[in-house]
Amino acid sequence: MFVMLVRSHLFRQLSVLWVTVWLTSPLLAQEDWPRFLGSTYDGVVAKVSPSIDWTVKPKFLWAVRVGEGYGMGTVADDSYFQFDADPDGRSERLRRIDLSTGETQWTQPLFEEFGEVDNERGTASSPAQNREHVFLVIDHGGPSYVVALRKSDGAVAWKTDRGNRVPSWSSPVVVSHENGDLVVISSSDTVDAYDAATGKPVWQIDGLSGNHIPSATISGNSIYVGSTEMFNQ
């Protein structure tokens, strides 16, 4: 089974948008894609079945229409997690979609819960996950925040305010260590780490500029962050 997000767009005007799923047998990959760039943050699928015959047309399973948005969906626990706008574009939402049937298991409308976002290009955070929660960061010109939703039902597990920030479009990453998971966010001139279980801030690195788009990259015991002064000139 594999998932393709098809977006037909012209500049900022997004028109026909679909999540389309095909079936290949056996499964394409024997691992989840739980966050932006995959489980190892490098865009590489480590385990691919060698018996797939790519000359055979895959069987179409289902398609789900999606709204405006610039983040990518993620896959875990036999579910597809999609962060996009609702049909009328008034609120951003996170949906859990059954990977086998395409049925929506739950929807969490974030703007209705926490207020609208002052971001001229819209939000672009791709969902990141651990076993219990799905994480999103919403940085914009108003009250910004990082939020954890329960994977079981979409309810808010915790929300941590980040103050008023400049608009940003990066995604959170989850780092596992012996004492638990951290949610690491490179955005709006800082790099911040939060306890994934509680949302409590753990540490912050400031003094950066222009890190509004690239997400942090994890490699071994190191975190790599892109930064530029172009937005401050």
Side-chain angles (χ1 to χ4, degrees):
M1 180 183 296
F2 65 96
V3 181
M4 178 179 290
L5 176 59
V6 182
R7 294 187 184 276
S8 173
H9 61 90
L10 178 62
F11 298 103
R12 292 177 57 198
Q13 301 300 316
L14 302 183
S15 51
V16 181
L17 307 102
W18 299 92
V19 172
T20 308
V21 176
W22 291 271
L23 175 65
T24 57
S25 182
L27 293 181
L28 171 65
Q30 307 305 316
E31 63 179 47
D32 289 334
W33 195 265
R35 57 186 72 93
F36 181 63
L37 294 179
S39 58
T40 53
Y41 301 103
D42 56 8
V44 175
V45 177
K47 299 178 182 179
V48 178
S49 173
S51 60
I52 294 176
D53 185 356
W54 290 103
T55 65
V56 177
K57 182 179 179 180
K59 178 184 177 181
F60 173 82
L61 290 183
W62 53 263
V64 173
R65 190 172 185 121
V66 299
E68 290 189 5
Y70 297 88
M72 299 301 298
T74 55
V75 175
D77 303 326
D78 297 321
S79 298
Y80 178 79
F81 294 85
Q82 175 67 39
F83 182 47
D84 61 353
D86 61 16
D88 57 14
R90 295 180 180 178
S91 179
E92 297 282 343
R93 61 189 174 176
L94 180 67
R95 289 180 289 169
R96 179 172 179 167
I97 299 170
D98 186 284
L99 200 57
S100 298
T101 65
E103 296 181 357
T104 299
Q105 298 173 317
W106 52 255
T107 301
Q108 173 59 258
L110 293 182
F111 287 10
E112 294 178 13
E113 184 85 12
F114 304 123
E116 296 185 2
V117 170
D118 179 17
N119 189 329
E120 61 181 2
R121 294 182 179 87
T123 57
S125 176
S126 297
Q129 306 174 46
N130 63 7
R131 289 182 178 274
E132 296 82 18
H133 300 139
V134 183
F135 307 98
L136 292 168
V137 58
I138 308 295
D139 278 354
H140 65 112
S144 302
Y145 56 91
V146 54
V147 62
L149 306 179
R150 289 202 309 244
K151 296 174 74 171
S152 58
D153 57 8
V156 176
W158 54 258
K159 170 179 170 286
T160 301
D161 294 334
R162 288 169 52 83
N164 286 16
R165 300 247 176 172
V166 298
S168 180
W169 306 274
S170 68
S171 299
V173 299
V174 179
V175 180
S176 297
H177 62 99
E178 60 183 7
N179 295 321
D181 293 340
L182 294 178
V183 180
V184 178
I185 300 169
S186 174
S187 175
S188 302
D189 304 335
T190 67
V191 181
D192 301 87
Y194 301 88
D195 186 293
T198 65
K200 180 180 178 180
V202 177
W203 51 258
Q204 181 184 86
I205 298 173
D206 57 15
L208 285 77
S209 64
N211 59 327
H212 309 304
I213 298 175
S215 304
T217 299
I218 310 299
S219 179
N221 294 325
S222 300
I223 300 175
Y224 297 89
V225 176
S227 180
T228 178
E229 295 182 354
M230 64 176 293
F231 293 104
N232 293 335
Q233 293 179 348

